[in-house]
């Protein structure tokens, strides 16, 4: 009986010690080891604008675009790509882009290729931004300024992107 009580007491002490250690913050010089496969969950914005309502899939974006009569703006990017990171920073810091994205567009950012071949009319490079009107037509007329990567934008091209967003809205209303 004494052995059983001793064992229970020992288990209780170990449990309390583990619980207390989890609550104590680590010192700055202590490195916490965590497996590489554990990642912090991200929001759908992925840093492109937390106040924007983002759709999860291309198919959902098309359906919402058709229903709401708003154009779909699709941003293709990669998390670790320095060009994508630079464009994301410029995109997120432009109040004009953020406002239009919130009010006038169905927004989707993809880190995976789309199953629709129309989403890569001139290749699968990143970052690239395409507009799709509510008739589910990819807007081939709204491009960036690069001939070899027609749908590419760089941080310096924010004014071109803003103009294309304006055109997507205006043409949308005149075409419907």
């Amino acid at each position: 009986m004494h052995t059983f009580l001793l064992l229970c007491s020992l288990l209780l002490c170990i449990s309390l010690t583990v619980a207390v250690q989890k609550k104590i913050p680590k010192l700055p010089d202590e490195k916490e080891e965590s497996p590489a496969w554990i990642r912090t969950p991200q929001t759908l914005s992925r840093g492109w604008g937390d106040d924007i309502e983002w759709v999860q899939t291309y198919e959902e974006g098309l359906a919402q675009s058709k229903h709401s009569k708003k154009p779909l703006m699709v941003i293709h990017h990669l998390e670790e790509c320095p060009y994508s990171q630079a464009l994301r920073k410029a995109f997120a810091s432009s109040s004009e882009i953020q406002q239009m994205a919130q009010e006038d567009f169905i927004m989707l950012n993809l880190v995976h290729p789309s199953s629709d071949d129309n989403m890569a009319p001139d290749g699968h490079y990143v970052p690239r931004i395409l507009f799709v009107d509510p008739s589910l037509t990819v807007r081939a007329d709204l491009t960036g300024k690069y001939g070899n990567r027609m749908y590419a934008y760089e941080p310096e091209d924010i004014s071109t992107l803003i103009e294309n967003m304006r055109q997507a809205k205006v043409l949308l209303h005149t075409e419907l």
Side-chain angles (χ1 to χ4, degrees):
M1 182 72 168
H2 289 1
T3 307
F4 177 75
L5 288 176
L6 184 61
L7 184 59
C8 287
S9 298
L10 183 60
L11 286 174
L12 181 62
C13 288
I14 290 172
S15 298
L16 287 173
T17 304
V18 168
V20 168
Q21 286 178 343
K22 286 184 177 180
K23 297 232 181 225
I24 297 174
K26 295 215 179 267
L27 296 174
D29 61 334
E30 290 182 0
K31 302 253 188 225
E32 185 172 299
E33 292 184 13
S34 63
W37 53 269
I38 295 178
R39 298 195 67 166
T40 305
Q42 296 182 341
T43 65
L44 290 176
S45 79
R46 295 180 179 95
W48 291 84
D50 291 336
D51 293 332
I52 297 170
E53 185 176 328
W54 297 90
V55 295
Q56 292 186 45
T57 65
Y58 180 55
E59 292 74 18
E60 179 186 354
L62 291 174
Q64 282 194 26
S65 176
K66 189 173 183 177
H67 177 73
S68 69
K69 306 269 190 269
K70 290 181 178 181
L72 171 64
M73 183 173 174
V74 183
I75 303 169
H76 296 268
H77 64 99
L78 294 174
E79 295 290 333
E80 288 80 28
C81 169
Y83 300 105
S84 295
Q85 292 170 353
L87 182 60
R88 178 177 54 223
K89 184 176 179 181
F91 186 98
S93 65
S94 169
S95 59
E96 190 171 1
I97 285 179
Q98 292 294 303
Q99 182 177 357
M100 279 194 286
Q102 289 172 34
E103 297 172 2
D104 303 319
F105 289 87
I106 304 300
M107 298 295 297
L108 170 66
N109 67 63
L110 293 175
V111 290
H112 305 290
S114 167
S115 59
D116 187 336
D117 290 336
N118 293 317
M119 288 284 90
D122 66 339
H124 291 273
Y125 54 86
V126 291
R128 70 182 186 281
I129 299 175
L130 294 114
F131 297 94
V132 182
D133 72 21
S135 70
L136 309 183
T137 304
V138 175
R139 296 291 303 270
D141 60 320
L142 299 177
T143 62
K145 60 184 186 180
Y146 306 99
N148 62 337
R149 301 175 334 252
M150 292 174 31
Y151 303 97
Y153 296 88
E154 294 183 2
E156 306 82 49
D157 305 332
I158 289 299
S159 60
T160 303
L161 179 57
I162 289 170
E163 184 56 35
N164 283 346
M165 290 174 78
R166 287 184 186 138
Q167 281 187 303
K169 292 183 340 179
V170 172
L171 291 175
L172 166 76
H173 295 296
T174 60
E175 292 172 353
L176 293 180

